Amino acid sequence: MNYKETLYFISKCLTISLEEKNRDEIEFMLKTTDIDWDAVVKVSTAHYVFSALYCNLKRLDFLQYLPNELVSYMEHITDINRERNKQIITQANELNNVLLANNIRPIFLKGTGNLLTGLYDDIGERMVGDIDFIFSKENYPKAITILTEYGYLPQRISNFKHFPHRHYPRLIKKNKIGAVEIHSKFLNSKYDNEFNYSFVKKDIQIINGYAVLSYANKINLSIVASQINDYGFYYNTISLRNAYDVFLLSKKTNAKEAVNTLKTLSHPLNCFLATCYEVFNSADSLEYNNTKKTTSYLGIFNSQFTDPKTTKRKHKRIKIYLSIKSTLIFCFKCIFYKQHRNLLFSRLLDRSWRKEKLMQLGFKQ
């Protein structure tokens, strides 16, 4: 199995609990095809869907077709992840209570928000990094003060101020498993005026005592996190963890209508929806706006698998371009804003920051 075959196999496996066509195809493959399980483990781990893969195969009793050692390993990893997520849920509940006691309500985002509201049949499916929530501009500084006084401290102590960002630097607390990211924005770009707190607050849901985005905006956030914040739209790549969330959420609301509520963002979001439709084998709930632009995007997406070396060189050029673009934009802001100038000077004096930038530009390993 080459990389594309492995990626598409994993993607189909993630849908077998809800897509009968894919269920039949995967069972037939498991019975008749020599699956490269080493490749499956490598790719599913890289995409943070290894546990989700296991849970879906287990639900359909397909683990009988896998090597016993692999099943034991998958079970072990998923058990660890499930226990971690139990602690994440407990910690999120504590954070929710602390903030509500101070008259501000956190809106939980991404994986934590999905865990708290029961999106997954098994909480062991989702690999969660941080506990993310967002506040209004008015409550954002209050939340930072409340949580720092409650014992949440910056993960890394720096001698310089941080550049303006969509969230406050990650906070951690002793004996707590999850780091916390306090958001004031979803995006650090021109799109912030389109998809922001004001846009999502009108249809916030309260589920199990937790505030979360509407299902439509959960889809939008899952996609922008990959396409915009992680530059997936530039690289023409897909994140299966985000795609799996979009697939599950598409069973609760109309995905195409969700992305159509946005304007400038609708194209990159629609392209991600198109790749989801592609890799999940034409799941009806992932229908998208089929345009010339999305057709072109899908063509580039699929062409990358035929020549990995060329794709790797292309991605390196894109990475350098994005780093230079980001630096130039910031330098432009320094001309007009004193705050940016002060931040730049403090960074230039920091050796670790200079080293990081040289690595991003490809001038240093």
Side-chain angles (χ1 to χ4, degrees), residues 159-293:
N159 294 322
F160 49 79
K161 295 181 179 179
H162 294 272
F163 290 160
H165 196 63
R166 62 183 180 273
H167 62 76
Y168 195 72
R170 298 168 85 233
L171 300 175
I172 57 174
K173 185 177 181 180
K174 187 176 181 181
N175 298 324
K176 297 296 180 181
I177 197 165
V180 168
E181 287 191 351
I182 306 173
H183 289 252
S184 62
K185 302 191 297 182
F186 296 115
L187 301 160
N188 276 344
S189 67
K190 61 183 179 182
Y191 301 115
D192 176 52
N193 291 329
E194 184 174 355
F195 188 65
N196 51 35
Y197 180 86
S198 297
F199 181 84
V200 304
K201 71 176 182 179
K202 61 183 180 296
D203 51 10
I204 292 298
Q205 305 178 86
I206 306 296
I207 302 177
N208 301 328
Y210 304 103
V212 293
L213 304 182
S214 67
Y215 289 121
N217 281 325
K218 278 174 174 280
I219 286 177
N220 290 333
L221 179 58
S222 294
I223 300 177
V224 298
S226 177
Q227 288 288 79
I228 307 302
N229 292 338
D230 294 338
Y231 302 110
F233 183 63
Y234 288 89
Y235 291 107
N236 291 88
T237 55
I238 189 170
S239 161
L240 286 186
R241 178 169 63 173
N242 296 64
Y244 183 55
D245 283 352
V246 170
F247 170 71
L248 294 179
L249 291 164
S250 74
K251 301 301 182 181
K252 296 182 176 293
T253 191
N254 189 299
K256 184 163 73 170
E257 289 181 6
V259 303
N260 285 342
T261 60
L262 299 165
K263 296 179 181 178
T264 309
L265 273 168
S266 64
H267 174 56
L269 269 66
N270 190 55
C271 287
F272 188 90
L273 202 57
T275 56
C276 289
Y277 186 84
E278 172 85 2
V279 301
F280 290 139
N281 199 25
S282 307
D284 290 341
S285 61
L286 295 170
E287 287 185 355
Y288 61 97
N289 300 304
N290 193 353
T291 66
K292 290 182 179 179
K293 287 185 176 180

Side-chain angles (χ1 to χ4, degrees), residues 8-30 37 52-63 65-66 121 125 244 247-248 251 279-281 283:
Y8 277 56
F9 171 78
I10 293 167
S11 301
K12 285 183 184 179
C13 286
L14 294 175
T15 69
I16 56 177
S17 299
L18 299 170
E19 295 289 324
E20 185 176 352
K21 175 181 65 173
N22 290 348
R23 182 186 314 160
D24 294 339
E25 288 187 18
I26 289 299
E27 185 169 27
F28 180 77
M29 286 186 68
L30 290 170
W37 290 112
L53 175 65
Y54 168 77
C55 289
N56 276 279
L57 292 171
K58 182 180 179 181
R59 275 196 288 272
L60 274 296
D61 196 28
F62 285 176
L63 294 176
Y65 304 118
L66 277 62
D121 285 347
E125 290 182 39
Y244 183 55
F247 170 71
L248 294 179
K251 301 301 182 181
V279 301
F280 290 139
N281 199 25

Side-chain angles (χ1 to χ4, degrees), residues 308-319:
K309 289 185 179 179
T310 300
T311 299
K312 188 175 181 180
R313 289 194 296 268
K314 177 185 174 184
H315 285 182
K316 186 174 182 180
R317 290 195 300 269
I318 292 172
K319 184 177 182 180

